Amino acid sequence: MSPILGLKTVTKEFHGVAALRNVSFTLMPGEVHSLLGENGAGKSTLTKIMAGVHEPTQGEGVFNGQPMTFGSPAEALHKGIAMVFQETSLVPSLTVAQNIYLGNEKFLNRLRGLYIAAQQFLQSLNFGVDPNMYVSQLGAAQKQMVEIARAVRQDVRVIIFDEPTASLTPEEKYYFFSLIKRLKERGVSIVFISHALEEALSISDRITILRDGELVVTGDTSEFNRDSIIRAMVGRSLSNELYSNAPRKNRAAGEKVLGVQNLSMG
């Protein structure tokens, strides 16, 4: 089976500073591929190249058998790649329903029909968001759900999720992971960025780990556990440092520079 998406030896520089160096990545049809690494490892930069936000400084990409030369996220979306950004790209002055269908409106629109369709679609995802509310009235978790709904509603081949569960409750996460399984069954390929290692281990088919803008390892999820992922992310094992019984040397106390007493907050 050929990859639906592939990047080969991609480098991305910003003002002469390399955010990515010679990174290669493949995504198979119907695969959930987790992209892991510390902050600044290059995860978002890599996925934004896939989504048409950035152009690589060097390297090449292929999507659906064709050279990947997207000039904008809109062009990538038109070709079949959607991205749910960590920072929401919703329009605050529009309603939830209007944001979900933004860019795909019919020539003539009935708002009542739009709200009914949006409500039915949100209910099918088990997302408890009122389609009549303005986005400016929503909390962070509800905004994230609208972002996810807008991406899923598109008829795309690849969806990139950048920290989608960071603001969701446990119940909302359950519905989100159920949605991931349904998308996979439909043949949609998923790139999943998360700092929650247990989530990546539970839903991924493969895992790729970046460190300091470089590829460390790619492999089947069965080849990884929490300790091996952390070791690849930071370049050393933290188990001995966190759980060692060896006596620790206490640093001598210096001059007190901050003190708080009897603090209350209503």
Side-chain angles (χ1 to χ4, degrees):
M1 187 181 297
S2 300
I4 182 68
L5 183 151
L7 297 174
K8 184 177 180 181
T9 59
V10 166
T11 294
K12 178 60 180 177
E13 296 180 350
F14 294 97
H15 305 290
V17 178
L20 291 173
R21 287 183 292 272
N22 299 320
V23 174
S24 296
F25 179 89
T26 58
L27 181 66
M28 307 303 291
E31 176 187 43
V32 179
H33 195 146
S34 286
L35 191 58
L36 306 179
E38 294 186 287
N39 289 333
K43 306 183 301 295
S44 293
T45 302
L46 183 64
T47 52
K48 286 179 178 179
I49 289 174
M50 302 177 197
V53 178
H54 300 317
E55 292 186 8
T57 306
Q58 295 178 0
E60 57 186 17
V62 175
F63 175 67
N64 203 21
Q66 301 294 324
M68 193 165 64
T69 54
F70 303 142
S72 67
E75 186 176 347
L77 181 61
H78 178 72
K79 294 290 180 64
I81 300 177
M83 182 168 181
V84 178
F85 294 94
Q86 189 174 7
E87 61 281 357
T88 62
S89 57
L90 304 174
V91 182
S93 58
L94 297 180
T95 64
V96 169
Q98 289 171 324
N99 269 276
I100 290 176
Y101 290 93
L102 186 63
N104 297 110
E105 303 92 338
K106 299 178 182 178
F107 183 74
L108 294 175
N109 293 277
R110 292 178 63 247
L111 286 179
R112 177 177 170 78
L114 190 72
Y115 291 132
I116 291 174
Q119 184 173 23
Q120 292 174 341
F121 181 65
L122 289 165
Q123 287 176 344
S124 73
L125 302 179
N126 289 304
F127 286 174
V129 184
D130 185 350
N132 298 281
M133 291 184 67
Y134 287 98
V135 166
S136 58
Q137 299 174 294
L138 301 180
Q142 290 181 313
K143 288 179 181 178
Q144 192 67 44
M145 286 188 279
V146 177
E147 281 277 12
I148 293 169
R150 186 166 67 172
V152 171
R153 202 193 66 80
Q154 308 288 338
D155 185 18
V156 295
R157 304 284 301 278
V158 173
I159 301 180
I160 303 166
F161 291 107
D162 188 359
E163 293 284 346
T165 62
S167 58
L168 301 183
T169 66
E171 182 181 9
E172 291 163 350
K173 289 180 183 179
Y174 171 81
Y175 291 130
F176 172 73
F177 291 131
S178 298
L179 171 63
I180 291 285
K181 293 178 181 178
R182 296 200 302 271
L183 290 171
K184 182 179 176 180
E185 291 170 357
R186 285 169 38 190
V188 177
S189 302
I190 307 292
V191 179
F192 181 71
I193 299 177
S194 177
H195 282 106
L197 305 187
E198 290 80 5
E199 293 178 358
L201 288 167
S202 65
I203 71 166
S204 304
D205 298 301
R206 281 196 298 158
I207 290 175
T208 288
I209 300 174
L210 301 180
R211 183 171 72 237
D212 297 330
E214 296 182 351
L215 174 66
V216 177
V217 63
T218 293
D220 294 337
T221 303
S222 59
E223 301 173 10
F224 295 92
N225 56 38
R226 182 180 176 84
D227 287 341
S228 64
I229 291 176
I230 293 174
R231 194 180 309 115
M233 287 172 57
V234 303
R236 65 187 188 280
S237 176
L238 299 184
S239 298
N240 293 336
E241 298 178 28
L242 294 176
Y243 305 112
S244 173
N245 292 322
R248 301 185 183 186
K249 295 180 180 180
N250 293 324
R251 187 173 60 182
E255 180 184 356
K256 182 168 71 173
V257 295
L258 176 67
V260 177
Q261 291 180 333
N262 302 323
L263 179 66
S264 301
M265 181 174 178

